[in-house]
Amino acid sequence: VTWVTGWPLSGLSFAAQTKSKKTLAKPNIRNIVVVEGVRIPFLQSGTSYKELMPHDLARAALLGLLHRTNVPKDVVDYIIFGTVIQEVKTSNVAREAALGAGFSDKTPAHTVTMACISANQAMTTGVGLIASGQCDVVVAGGVELMSDVPIRHSRKMRKMLLDLNKAKTLGQRLSLISKFRLNYLSPELPSVAEFSTSETMGHSADRLAAAFAVSRLDQDEYVLRSHSLAKKAQDEGLLSDVVPFKVPGKDTVIKDNGIRPSSLEQMAKLKPAFIKPYGTVTAANSSFLTDGASAMLIMAEEKALAMGYKPKAYLRDFVYVSQDPKDQLLLGPTYATPKVLERAGLTMTDIDAFEFHEAFSGQILANFKAMDSDWFAQNYMGRKTKVGSPPLEKFNNWGGSLSLGHPFGATGCRLVMAAANRLRKEGGQYGLVAACAAGGQGHAMIVEAYPK
């Protein structure tokens, strides 16, 4: 990477301000920019959003984006949303939210799902549509409402109800009803577990922490850092992507409600949540069930400039990775980071702002250890050397999923906007976003600050 010394900017102490690195623009490929991104406040499940449906939250995020950007609705070529636990009535939630927000019924919309990286998948799908010349303007986002999840009848009960629906005569109906047993009424609940291994994610996180010798105290200290930084960012008005949401029949929600800096003493009293009695993962050092939605306006650079917008950031190289869902479920960032850096021709030292998804304290700290291990790189990743662990002073400086919340389908956009907004505020040039996801998958993307 060549460094060119620029003019020192008066009154700014950031070393990054006085250096400008190469840009990651590629010949013959359109530059793709984020014009703006917003999210409604992320709330703990069972609070102010509990009476709503997912499309209500997604619509609110879209309206917040429209309000902030004043983008003409008919300019938007395509809308993509991510979601994980689908409401069966609105399986294509992107379309229902777009219609509700007043977008043109001529604008197509589809919904993607890829566990915790669903919004990332929505964004990169949009990037692909713009890069290929299919579209100029895409809205990407994500939504999750954990306050209301689809709870199903048992398989036997469902079969019986379907058969009853088809039964023609009273005799056929009585014959079916006579086969009914009380255990048919036991419901099927969705769980945050791997289909392929039947292991819950918390259990896997606890095993991962143990495998990398991450202590309970390490995990509690990390989650305290996350909450403290989130509280500071919230108090200082740095979480500028949050837009207010007037909940029908209730008050206007203006801020995330899961930020609660505790003390190490209080957290130490909690019992293990998954592996009892010796586990280290607790309710405090895990991300909580969250309701929320996010949306961002992505454009080809020439289109944004022609419309008079000042973009926030370029979306650059990205990768998706996949590993064994049993023992490497949450190591996505470790695998994705060196790949995306190589693709962009950067090293860890070039990155000014890291934004990683925090599923569990133990997961973040285990990834740090894996990234800092030559042995792991050589034996598991087929690489000669480690990529290195992100420096904490550049890492999730405004809080993360542990404190701000994690609506599965919406977090990806929050990560990218946090990176973009931090680069603007801190004067850096490159941000690295990374996340793990159920299924043993992962994602990483380079975000480049738009020149001021």
Side-chain angles (χ1 to χ4, degrees):
V1 177
T2 53
W3 295 75
V4 187
T5 307
W7 296 101
L9 286 139
S10 56
L12 286 171
S13 58
F14 287 102
Q17 288 281 188
T18 62
K19 296 169 180 169
S20 68
K21 304 174 206 171
K22 66 166 194 185
T23 175
L24 295 181
K26 291 196 172 89
N28 307 324
I29 292 184
R30 301 176 95 183
N31 278 329
I32 296 163
V33 296
V34 178
V35 172
E36 183 60 271
V38 301
R39 60 186 180 89
I40 57 172
F42 286 0
L43 301 189
Q44 292 182 313
S45 295
T47 57
S48 297
Y49 299 157
K50 67 182 179 189
E51 308 294 337
L52 301 176
M53 287 178 68
H55 72 282
D56 295 319
L57 273 58
R59 179 179 65 217
L62 287 170
L63 288 170
L65 186 67
L66 287 169
H67 181 71
R68 189 171 284 189
T69 60
N70 292 313
V71 68
K73 292 173 190 167
D74 55 352
V75 171
V76 177
D77 298 314
Y78 209 97
I79 297 169
I80 314 166
F81 259 67
T83 196
V84 179
I85 298 183
Q86 290 184 322
E87 161 61 57
V88 287
K89 290 179 186 166
T90 57
S91 60
N92 186 2
V93 71
R95 177 65 170 165
E96 307 310 331
L99 292 173
F103 280 89
S104 164
D105 55 15
K106 307 280 188 289
T107 303
H110 81 263
T111 301
V112 295
T113 191
M114 199 175 179
C116 306
I117 51 178
S118 296
N120 308 76
Q121 186 55 257
M123 279 184 289
T124 58
T125 301
V127 167
L129 286 171
I130 297 171
S132 64
Q134 302 295 318
C135 299
D136 290 328
V137 182
V138 172
V139 170
V143 61
E144 208 69 38
L145 183 74
M146 298 303 291
S147 291
D148 180 33
V149 294
I151 297 170
R152 304 204 295 181
H153 277 297
S154 68
R155 185 78 187 247
K156 286 176 178 170
M157 188 70 191
R158 298 201 306 268
K159 182 177 186 306
M160 187 171 168
L161 290 169
L162 289 168
D163 289 344
L164 273 171
N165 204 28
K166 290 179 199 161
K168 299 271 193 300
T169 65
L170 182 62
Q172 287 173 333
R173 288 192 189 105
L174 289 172
S175 166
L176 282 165
I177 290 167
S178 71
K179 293 174 184 159
F180 172 77
R181 298 291 175 269
L182 265 179
N183 67 357
Y184 285 18
L185 292 176
S186 61
E188 274 183 19
L189 289 150
S191 72
V192 185
E194 283 300 299
F195 182 77
S196 62
T197 65
S198 300
E199 184 179 29
T200 65
M201 193 172 272
H203 197 283
S204 185
D206 214 323
R207 286 195 304 111
L208 185 72
F212 281 92
V214 178
S215 72
R216 166 80 180 261
L217 181 60
D218 290 342
Q219 293 174 60
D220 288 352
E221 283 176 346
Y222 181 84
V223 76
L224 183 59
R225 172 189 189 269
S226 182
H227 279 276
S228 305
L229 290 174
K231 181 86 176 82
K232 184 170 181 286
Q234 191 178 62
D235 291 347
E236 291 176 7
L238 297 174
L239 305 178
S240 58
D241 56 336
V242 179
V243 292
F245 176 23
K246 170 72 179 82
V247 179
K250 295 192 182 168
D251 293 339
T252 299
V253 181
I254 56 170
K255 62 182 188 177
D256 308 321
N257 74 358
I259 302 174
R260 294 183 183 165
S262 178
S263 67
L264 290 173
E265 295 73 41
Q266 288 296 109
M267 288 192 280
K269 294 175 186 171
L270 292 175
K271 290 188 162 68
F274 301 100
I275 298 182
K276 295 154 187 177
Y278 304 116
T280 56
V281 174
T282 68
N285 59 40
S286 311
S287 52
F288 49 89
L289 295 179
T290 314
D291 301 336
S294 55
M296 54 202 287
L297 182 61
I298 305 172
M299 292 191 185
E301 182 182 27
E302 68 272 18
K303 180 75 171 179
L305 297 178
M307 290 183 69
Y309 285 112
K310 184 72 209 283
K312 286 204 162 177
Y314 292 107
L315 296 181
R316 298 300 196 192
D317 297 271
F318 61 86
V319 295
Y320 287 93
V321 293
S322 244
Q323 298 84 236
D324 163 29
K326 179 128 185 80
D327 291 323
Q328 305 189 25
L329 180 69
L330 301 168
L331 289 174
T334 299
Y335 283 83
T337 296
K339 281 191 171 176
V340 81
L341 288 172
E342 277 177 10
R343 190 166 284 187
L346 300 175
T347 65
M348 287 292 267
T349 51
D350 294 318
I351 305 299
D352 302 301
F354 291 89
E355 284 291 332
F356 280 26
H357 163 50
E358 301 171 343
F360 303 87
S361 277
Q363 161 258 335
I364 285 286
L365 297 173
N367 272 281
F368 283 179
K369 288 195 170 187
M371 291 168 85
D372 210 28
S373 163
D374 280 324
W375 182 87
F376 189 87
Q378 288 155 6
N379 288 278
Y380 280 90
M381 298 172 67
R383 305 184 68 86
K384 291 191 179 67
T385 54
K386 64 187 183 187
V387 67
S389 179
L392 263 182
E393 65 273 11
K394 295 180 179 179
F395 189 86
N396 290 12
N397 289 12
W398 295 353
S401 300
L402 286 167
S403 47
L404 300 169
H406 173 41
F408 300 149
T411 287
C413 290
R414 179 191 68 74
L415 293 171
V416 168
M417 290 319 300
N421 290 330
R422 277 181 55 199
L423 290 173
R424 280 170 79 86
K425 177 86 178 146
E426 297 163 5
Q429 186 170 4
Y430 295 122
L432 173 63
V433 168
C436 56
Q441 308 207 87
H443 167 76
M445 179 192 259
I446 302 288
V447 178
E448 182 181 348
Y450 199 82
K452 290 188 178 173

